[in-house]
Amino acid sequence: MVDGSARISQDPEPRKNNRVHPVLKLLYKKRWAYYFIAPATILFCIFTVIPVIRSFILAFQEFRLMGNVWVGLENFKYVLTDPVFHRAMRNTAFYTVVMVPQGVLKALILASILRNLPEAVQTFFRGAYYLPGVASAVVISMVWKWIYDPNFGLFNFILGTFGFGPYPWLTSPKTSLTSIMLMGILTAPGYYIILYLAAMKKIPRELYEVADIDGATPFAKWWNVTLPLLKPTTLYITITSIIGSFQIFTSAYVMTQGGPGYSTMTVVYLIYNTAFRDFEFGLASAQAIVLAAIIVFISVYNFRVFSTDVQY
Amino acid sequence: MRRACWVLVLVLLIGSLAVSFGSIGAASKWTGTIQVWDFPRPAAAEEWELQAFKEFEELHPGVKIEYTKLTWAGGNEKLDVSVAAGQPPDICGSGLRLPYILQGALEPIDDFLTAEDLKDFHEETLNAVKLNGKYWAWPWYNTLYVMYLNADLFNERGVPLPENGEWTWDEFLSAMQKLTFDRDGDGKIDVYGFGFTFQPTYLQPFGFIYAEGGRVLDIDKNEFILDSPEAVVGIQRLCDMVWKHKCALPGAGGLTTTDVNNAFLNTRSIAAFVDTTGIISSFEAHNEKVEKGEIEGEKINLVTAQYPRGKNGQPIAAGPGVGSWAVFKQKDDAKREVVMELAKFITRGEGQKEVVPLIGVFPSCKSAGNVWAGNKNLEHIVPAVEYAVYPPMHPNWNKIDEKIMRELQLAVLNEKTIDAALKEAKRQIERLLEY
């Protein structure tokens, strides 16, 4: 057996173009493609990659205006022993555990109902459900803050006409987080409905025809045909909504400022306070890295568990 | 005659020598450009500042002032970046930040403060710019919280307004109870006497705590003292207004300051609340818009008052802070002297007399006198200025404040006893007190 190096050494006069590395050759051959992706890549590096690296470095430093100081793992030690971070993490995890399954289920059910409606009606509902997603989260939170007002809010007014209340929706630590969650629960997940509808349209009609021949009920078709074939979409929606839920900020910021007490303190709101109120950018970076690590772990776990028999 | 000529010559000689020595003295002083930054002020106050810079330039030939107006939106970041880059301005209005002191970016002003200056500035005002035994900025004005009263609601309920804006705790409580009522007879309270909340960075309710001598920190001993009996009295009074006397807007502790402002101005569901004097102009603007028909609603008949006084009968005031001019680190001793002179020139008592009313605040020094004489809303607040208490100058104040406020929220929501809340706050801030 003769290996490649022996073959090269046996070649008395290697050809000139052999000196060019194959990778370089490939790069040259596809150079126009690289020219086209270069601007986006450069911008991505400047505005995403470099800040992420910088933030990672900052997590091991104490931010000082006159020059940062290396503190090793001190910021991470502080984060992991900080009771406020623990509380924020518990709140965020509770929010995620409730909001993600209900959001996915709600989108799936609504999309399944819409799918059987005429195209015009579908279009109307797609728009109607998607519209709240276009509105600013701040505006929506402010409207809900008024709805929840303990003295003059819509909810307490309605409940009052039936002799109930008034309830301290946002002003009691016992109900504030669930009230924020209720806002999310009562809002239609328009974007996810559209994703599900698009995925449902891609399911071949023949599969339903075969099920009809076998005498399957509508629920059996939905359970045995639709649901399994929507698995890639469900996985995508689950992972993106987990990431979104872990990053909950606006409603806590606008509606409760993390209170009363720490009852609605979320991890991202805590990071925001640490960075922009306390100017502790090193500590804030460490908090962000811990959050990112948790999100990555959960996403990878989900991907592994749910993507075993996913067809793409 | 000859003698007279000689005397004249002698006088001229001495005079010219004095002038030349004087000019040598002036020449030894620094000349060049001073970078001045400041945050936006009302237009008239900005005009006053520009005029003051011009006057300073005329008094100091060879010194030029370059003025940069920061924005409220990005000014802090600009200042931070400039300090981080080692290119801060020479002097900045509202530029006093604890991190700047701790990281050596600011000049202490002690060597330039005369005994007269120390006597002239209000003691609490000076304490608001003092850290580790040194003063770090030239106090310019005091921002204070005042109590805003809806005079129409007082009249509707036949409750007399406090004379000269002064009242005791009992008088205040009695008024708030009378102002809490069910207007439409549906068995539900429509108007509450008072509205307040505990929210981090907003110290409005703390005037009630300061009234009997309570304080948050003993800055000299670096100790938490909000659990002192004097402070607890104030906290108890606030909690009692909600739960015992039921004359404060429910949910205090879960509300935001915006909610409370809204309850006063828009829904008119509270008769009194506390905020800075700066918002008087927004009430005036509201009334003007209503008058012109630009917005729907009613004009608000506004009256201001002091916090209710404590047992010692002294007025009390609380404030979010002191407006000041901070001088950044200077390499050149001669320039430092001129920049300090400029800071002193801007913040001098005579100047405060003119500019402080334009900003809508209170002078930081006694020599400025009562700048609000004759003003129906602010004249009676002036006596409280020298008793004003400001947030303690502690490097970790933001965090300490948050931890205290969040525990007080739970106390005022009746989720915890005051004692338990204060114990928890003390436990949490223990490690923050060290720095």
Side-chain angles (χ1 to χ4, degrees):
Chain A
M1 187 179 161
V2 180
D3 64 14
S5 60
R7 272 205 305 272
I8 289 165
S9 63
Q10 282 163 4
D11 193 346
E13 266 185 43
R15 282 175 297 185
K16 267 187 179 176
N17 60 356
N18 272 3
R19 286 182 205 156
V20 180
H21 196 279
V23 174
L24 290 176
K25 267 176 75 178
L26 188 71
L27 279 175
Y28 183 75
K29 201 175 165 188
K30 307 270 184 192
R31 64 190 181 281
W32 282 105
Y34 291 109
Y35 290 156
F36 281 114
I37 62 167
T41 310
I42 291 166
L43 289 176
F44 178 71
C45 287
I46 292 171
F47 293 109
T48 306
V49 178
I50 294 171
V52 166
I53 294 169
R54 182 81 188 84
S55 157
F56 191 78
I57 295 167
L58 204 54
F60 298 92
Q61 295 177 329
E62 187 186 319
F63 174 79
R64 289 191 185 178
L65 290 169
M66 313 300 273
N68 297 350
V69 177
W70 281 96
V71 291
L73 293 169
E74 281 305 310
N75 288 332
F76 289 96
K77 271 189 208 164
Y78 185 90
V79 170
L80 297 174
T81 56
D82 180 14
V84 178
F85 185 80
H86 293 171
R87 180 67 196 267
M89 191 47 87
R90 273 205 306 277
N91 289 344
T92 312
F94 177 58
Y95 180 87
T96 305
V97 164
V98 175
M99 297 308 286
V100 172
Q102 69 81 31
V104 175
L105 204 65
K106 207 164 57 184
L108 182 63
I109 291 168
L110 285 170
S112 302
I113 295 167
L114 285 180
R115 193 205 176 194
N116 297 318
L117 298 174
E119 189 63 36
V121 180
Q122 264 191 50
T123 309
F124 169 76
F125 278 106
R126 271 203 299 262
Y129 286 139
Y130 194 76
L131 208 60
V134 178
S136 154
V138 174
V139 174
I140 290 174
S141 298
M142 286 176 80
V143 170
W144 275 90
K145 192 171 157 55
W146 168 74
I147 292 171
Y148 281 140
D149 188 287
N151 303 301
F152 311 99
L154 183 67
F155 273 2
N156 277 350
F157 173 75
I158 293 169
L159 290 169
T161 56
F162 295 105
F164 298 109
Y167 294 104
W169 298 95
L170 294 172
T171 54
S172 163
K174 292 190 187 92
T175 53
S176 52
L177 186 60
T178 43
S179 298
I180 286 180
M181 284 158 56
L182 184 65
M183 177 182 91
I185 290 166
L186 294 177
T187 310
Y191 175 60
Y192 295 146
I193 290 172
I194 286 170
L195 284 181
Y196 267 133
L197 279 171
M200 282 173 184
K201 278 193 174 169
K202 281 175 70 183
I203 298 173
R205 285 248 155 247
E206 295 83 0
L207 295 175
Y208 292 106
E209 286 165 11
V210 170
D212 284 337
I213 292 164
D214 286 347
T217 62
F219 180 75
K221 281 191 279 182
W222 183 79
W223 185 258
N224 294 307
V225 179
T226 312
L227 216 52
L229 290 171
L230 287 179
K231 218 169 171 184
T233 312
T234 305
L235 179 66
Y236 173 77
I237 289 174
T238 305
I239 289 175
T240 51
S241 53
I242 284 173
I243 294 169
S245 292
F246 264 102
Q247 293 177 347
I248 167 108
F249 170 76
T250 315
S251 46
Y253 177 67
V254 175
M255 295 167 79
T256 57
Q257 307 258 306
Y262 292 98
S263 60
T264 55
M265 179 61 76
T266 65
V267 178
V268 174
Y269 185 46
L270 182 65
I271 293 170
Y272 169 82
N273 271 349
T274 310
F276 300 106
R277 191 201 58 196
D278 303 338
F279 293 104
E280 295 209 33
F281 293 104
L283 190 57
S285 294
Q287 289 168 339
I289 284 171
V290 171
L291 176 66
I294 291 168
I295 292 175
V296 167
F297 173 77
I298 293 172
S299 301
V300 169
Y301 177 79
N302 266 301
F303 206 78
R304 289 211 164 172
V305 169
F306 295 110
S307 68
T308 45
D309 57 345
V310 165
Q311 296 171 10
Y312 294 100
Chain B
M1 182 69 189
R2 188 176 287 177
R3 186 178 286 176
C5 282
W6 274 112
V7 169
L8 187 66
V9 168
L10 201 66
V11 166
L12 285 172
L13 193 67
I14 292 168
S16 63
L17 275 173
V19 168
S20 55
F21 272 118
S23 65
I24 289 167
S28 73
K29 278 218 168 183
W30 176 87
T31 56
T33 304
I34 298 175
Q35 296 287 341
V36 178
W37 289 9
D38 193 16
F39 286 85
R41 311 279 174 197
E46 278 177 11
E47 251 174 56
W48 180 92
E49 277 183 295
L50 294 176
Q51 184 58 34
F53 298 151
K54 212 170 153 187
E55 281 173 32
F56 187 82
E57 283 174 337
E58 282 165 10
L59 289 168
H60 298 78
V63 173
K64 193 177 173 300
I65 292 172
E66 255 182 38
Y67 168 68
T68 302
K69 182 170 149 183
L70 301 170
T71 61
W72 286 117
N76 283 323
E77 285 75 13
K78 181 169 176 162
L79 200 55
D80 284 346
V81 170
S82 74
V83 173
Q87 299 288 328
D90 294 306
I91 180 170
C92 183
S94 303
L96 179 65
R97 306 267 191 291
L98 284 165
Y100 296 170
I101 300 174
L102 296 173
Q103 292 169 26
L106 294 183
E107 291 278 0
I109 64 165
D110 300 54
D111 292 345
F112 302 89
L113 272 171
T114 62
E116 271 179 17
D117 293 332
L118 287 168
K119 215 174 150 188
D120 193 22
F121 284 120
H122 294 296
E123 194 185 337
E124 290 291 350
T125 306
L126 275 174
N127 284 340
V129 296
K130 188 179 177 185
L131 184 74
N132 296 336
K134 287 184 176 173
Y135 300 106
W136 295 95
W138 292 87
W140 195 24
Y141 58 78
N142 299 327
T143 307
L144 292 187
Y145 294 123
V146 293
M147 198 163 274
Y148 290 98
L149 314 176
N150 182 334
D152 289 336
L153 285 173
F154 274 70
N155 294 337
E156 183 182 341
R157 300 294 291 168
V159 180
L161 288 159
E163 208 174 317
N164 291 327
E166 296 168 10
W167 40 13
T168 62
W169 164 252
D170 291 333
E171 287 165 350
F172 170 76
L173 180 62
S174 161
M176 294 305 112
Q177 284 174 312
K178 286 177 193 158
L179 287 159
T180 301
F181 65 102
D182 171 13
R183 184 180 270 142
D184 53 14
D186 65 352
K188 209 181 138 203
I189 299 293
D190 297 304
V191 178
Y192 289 88
F194 190 53
F196 75 97
T197 180
F198 284 112
Q199 198 185 339
T201 74
Y202 296 93
L203 298 167
Q204 282 91 328
F206 274 64
F208 290 87
I209 297 168
Y210 302 149
E212 298 295 354
R215 297 290 184 270
V216 182
L217 299 179
D218 180 334
I219 209 76
D220 296 326
K221 292 182 187 162
N222 205 18
E223 270 179 18
F224 175 82
I225 53 167
L226 192 63
D227 52 357
S228 69
E230 296 86 4
V232 171
V233 169
I235 301 169
Q236 187 68 58
R237 282 175 178 172
L238 288 162
C239 293
D240 284 350
M241 268 199 280
V242 180
W243 296 101
K244 192 175 163 189
H245 310 299
K246 297 187 189 303
C247 61
L249 196 63
L255 303 171
T256 62
T257 47
T258 316
D259 296 331
V260 178
N261 287 16
N262 190 39
F264 183 80
L265 181 65
N266 298 325
T267 59
R268 309 281 163 103
S269 49
I270 53 171
F273 85 118
V274 178
D275 212 321
T276 58
T277 53
I279 64 164
I280 288 180
S281 54
S282 63
F283 286 125
E284 285 169 351
H286 169 86
N287 284 349
E288 210 177 299
K289 280 181 187 170
V290 172
E291 211 168 84
K292 286 180 183 168
E294 288 173 15
I295 54 167
E296 282 182 19
E298 287 174 28
K299 282 165 76 172
I300 190 150
N301 187 1
L302 195 73
V303 171
T304 59
Q306 294 176 12
Y307 283 97
R309 294 182 178 192
K311 280 182 193 130
N312 64 9
Q314 273 180 351
I316 189 74
V322 167
S324 61
W325 284 85
V327 174
F328 285 85
K329 214 67 177 173
Q330 301 292 325
K331 287 173 192 156
D332 184 338
D333 290 346
K335 184 177 180 184
R336 181 185 304 117
E337 208 164 301
V338 178
V339 177
M340 286 290 178
E341 260 183 55
L342 172 62
K344 202 170 176 173
F345 184 74
I346 301 168
T347 58
R348 72 198 189 281
E350 281 303 307
Q352 285 189 28
K353 261 185 206 171
E354 295 164 8
V355 72
V356 160
L358 303 176
I359 306 177
V361 285
F362 297 88
S364 62
C365 61
K366 296 163 201 158
S367 61
N370 184 354
V371 299
W372 291 111
N375 182 293
K376 74 173 175 103
N377 279 326
L378 295 175
E379 185 177 19
H380 49 267
I381 307 296
V382 175
V385 175
E386 64 177 302
Y387 300 97
V389 183
Y390 301 98
M393 272 292 266
H394 192 284
N396 288 326
W397 171 247
N398 284 344
K399 286 182 177 179
I400 292 170
D401 165 57
E402 175 169 28
K403 297 205 184 292
I404 290 169
M405 288 296 195
R406 291 199 184 276
E407 287 304 318
L408 289 179
Q409 284 176 352
L410 298 177
V412 84
L413 286 167
N414 224 4
E415 295 288 331
K416 271 185 178 180
T417 62
I418 295 172
D419 186 46
L422 291 174
K423 270 188 185 143
E424 179 57 22
K426 189 174 187 173
R427 192 190 65 75
Q428 286 185 30
I429 68 168
E430 237 156 40
R431 67 173 169 178
L432 295 172
L433 287 174
E434 303 304 321
Y435 66 94

